[in-house]
Amino acid sequence: MIHHLKGQLIEKNPTYVVIDCNGVGYFLHISLHTFALLKNASEAISLYTHLQVKEDSHTLFGFMEKSERELFRLLVSVSGIGASIARTMLSSLDPKQIMDAIASGDVATIQSIKGIGAKTSQRVILDLKDKVLKVFGEGEVFISQSNTNKEEALSALETLGFVRKSAEKVVDRIMKDATEDPTVETIIKLALKNL
């Protein structure tokens, strides 16, 4: 429902921030990873969001990186992992460390996070191993922020009905062959010719 928020950073704490968007203050729960990426208070920032709706509350979570939000959504999809445990996971380890641990089946690393037992860590790996590789791709498990053109093109191609994995191979080839950073439109046009 709420994709992202852009506004003035009013309050900054290790577990939450308050962002003023045209006079409305939004309270967002954040991970330590996002907290570390935030600059000083009273500056304009943009955070990707996830809205959790329950019977008794609506809770907003904020993320500096789109990839961290995607990982958070994958984590909360696992039975036994709620939003607070997912946030604890993203606060205890770097998102890349979590993705690498899931992709390589490293139960010990996941289990080292407070509140996660052996069964839960095995369930996380079992449920998410294929999804992490599908969403973030093999080899480059982490999506870099600078490559937003590639990401936008990929999501557009997915919307057009192409499978992400095959689209990603074609887009990677286009990015490699390009002499300069191609625009989103260029990537999509070239990809459509090759898909």
Side-chain angles (χ1 to χ4, degrees), residues 3 56 76 78-79 99 105 114 122 132 138 169 180 192:
H3 181 267
D56 58 345
V76 294
V78 176
S79 170
M99 286 186 279
K114 188 181 185 304
Q122 287 167 348
V132 162
E138 291 179 54
K169 284 178 185 166
E180 56 189 56
L192 288 172

Side-chain angles (χ1 to χ4, degrees), residues 44-65:
I45 61 160
S46 180
L47 288 180
Y48 294 102
T49 60
H50 173 80
L51 177 64
Q52 182 187 51
V53 179
K54 287 185 174 177
E55 273 182 34
D56 58 345
S57 68
H58 288 189
T59 311
L60 260 179
F61 293 88
F63 309 93
M64 276 297 278
E65 300 167 329

Side-chain angles (χ1 to χ4, degrees), residues 38-115:
L38 286 169
K39 305 285 184 272
N40 301 326
S42 80
E43 68 170 20
I45 61 160
S46 180
L47 288 180
Y48 294 102
T49 60
H50 173 80
L51 177 64
Q52 182 187 51
V53 179
K54 287 185 174 177
E55 273 182 34
D56 58 345
S57 68
H58 288 189
T59 311
L60 260 179
F61 293 88
F63 309 93
M64 276 297 278
E65 300 167 329
K66 206 174 191 175
S67 54
E68 186 187 8
R69 179 180 66 179
E70 296 314 310
L71 181 58
F72 176 85
R73 287 177 171 170
L74 286 176
L75 291 169
V76 294
S77 74
V78 176
S79 170
I81 297 217
S84 62
I85 290 181
R87 183 173 68 160
T88 301
M89 290 176 79
L90 290 165
S91 294
S92 304
L93 295 172
D94 215 58
K96 179 161 179 31
Q97 291 174 304
I98 296 172
M99 286 186 279
D100 289 346
I102 292 169
S104 63
D106 184 353
V107 177
T109 299
I110 305 276
Q111 204 177 326
S112 70
I113 300 165
K114 188 181 185 304

Side-chain angles (χ1 to χ4, degrees), residues 9 12 19 37 47 58 81 84 96 113 121 155 158 167 172 181 186:
L9 183 61
K12 174 185 162 187
I19 299 177
L37 295 173
L47 288 180
H58 288 189
I81 297 217
S84 62
K96 179 161 179 31
I113 300 165
S121 60
S155 67
E158 267 187 296
D172 282 339
D181 270 353
T186 310

